Amino acid sequence: SYAQGSTVSMPLKVFDYLASGLAIVSSLGGDVKDILNSGCGVQYKAESVQDLVRKLDHLSKNSELVISMKLKSRSMAYHYDVSTQYGLYADFVEEVIASAT
């Protein structure tokens, strides 16, 4: 749980949750909100216990939705996998070097 206006943009645990294929419930905005909006989970209003409980209650009554979020989470993990990111970074470094010569 994070306070309203938190400057945390992407906690490491989100990557662990994605890799584990878990549905994510968070109050963070920014990149986490974008991931949640892609179907990996739900966002609740920061500092609102009532909103958190409402979202958890909704998920507890919608197992198909949770399964869908888990599948989306697992597929999203590929984009953040070290082998994927390493390849993208290596390509970027090669482009920088090529443009400097």
Side-chain angles (χ1 to χ4, degrees), residues 52-68:
L52 173 59
V53 169
R54 203 170 19 257
K55 299 292 171 74
L56 292 174
D57 184 54
H58 177 72
L59 291 175
S60 74
K61 294 175 181 172
N62 292 281
S63 60
E64 288 183 21
L65 176 61
V66 173
I67 290 169
S68 171

Side-chain angles (χ1 to χ4, degrees), residues 9-31:
S9 61
M10 185 61 104
L12 292 177
K13 63 185 166 189
V14 170
F15 299 111
D16 294 334
Y17 297 161
L18 291 172
S20 298
L22 298 174
I24 302 169
V25 178
S26 177
S27 65
L28 289 175
D31 293 329

